[in-house]
Amino acid sequence: SGGVSRDCPTPAPSASAFLSFYMQSAAVGTVIGRGGSKIRELEETSGSKIQILKGDFEVEVKLFGSYAAQMKAKELIENIVERRNTDELNGAKRTDRSNASKLGSSARNSSDTNSAKCGSVNSPRPFINWNSLRENKEKYEAMKWAGLSPIKKNFY
């Protein structure tokens, strides 16, 4: 399953630490459930507090509680997302983004910044060169609007 590898040595975090990882925004509804019922069930089952922070394409999931509770909650969430991916691949909802629904490669613990190096995923996340995108912003903007007709500004 997609997520943190099990053979990565991870020190036991302090009680105030949290585990953080990323998943695709499209899978959030499955994890939260109708009216928040699924996320409440996950919190009760694992003993961990689950916080989901919105993003455009990915969401950050933060797990609070004991280390064992965090690992249990992460495993339950991975299972739900994996089941969703399998259903999506086998069902009528099959799309090209189904492979991107895997959990993100970053697993961070707030008390140990080195634990992010231990994350692994079935497929590597694509590299985004942000500097190149910033430098070429005007070029991309021009390409974006190139096919549209010009705006007539005769307001009066």
Side-chain angles (χ1 to χ4, degrees):
S1 73
V4 177
S5 64
R6 302 287 181 222
D7 59 348
C8 180
T10 308
S14 65
S16 64
F18 63 88
L19 177 71
S20 176
F21 63 95
Y22 293 88
M23 60 185 244
Q24 186 186 22
S25 294
V28 171
T30 308
V31 174
I32 294 175
R34 186 172 295 213
S37 62
K38 192 66 177 175
I39 198 166
R40 281 193 301 273
E41 177 187 329
L42 290 169
E43 288 178 336
E44 289 173 15
T45 305
S46 67
S48 177
K49 170 81 173 99
I50 302 170
Q51 183 180 34
I52 298 177
L53 305 173
K54 280 186 169 184
D56 291 333
F57 301 105
E58 288 185 326
V59 294
E60 182 178 9
V61 180
K62 288 185 178 182
L63 306 174
F64 298 89
S66 69
Y67 180 72
Q70 291 174 355
M71 290 294 108
K72 176 73 173 170
K74 185 169 185 340
E75 183 179 344
L76 291 170
I77 292 170
E78 283 178 341
N79 290 340
I80 289 170
V81 172
E82 188 66 34
R83 193 174 328 120
R84 176 190 179 275
N85 292 342
T86 303
D87 291 346
E88 202 172 89
L89 285 173
N90 294 333
K93 291 183 178 180
R94 185 169 184 203
T95 63
D96 290 337
R97 47 189 185 117
S98 61
N99 287 337
S101 297
K102 304 283 185 206
L103 291 176
S105 64
S106 177
R108 289 180 285 147
N109 199 305
S110 63
S111 65
D112 181 21
T113 57
N114 291 332
S115 66
K117 296 176 185 174
C118 296
S120 69
V121 172
N122 291 346
S123 60
R125 292 175 70 170
F127 175 74
I128 299 173
N129 187 344
W130 293 106
N131 290 331
S132 173
L133 289 174
R134 284 185 201 105
E135 290 169 3
N136 295 314
K137 180 183 177 211
E138 282 141 16
K139 176 181 143 189
Y140 293 128
E141 284 286 323
M143 287 171 39
K144 176 180 171 183
W145 301 107
L148 300 175
S149 58
I151 298 174
K152 296 183 181 180
K153 298 181 181 179
N154 297 327
F155 297 116
Y156 303 102

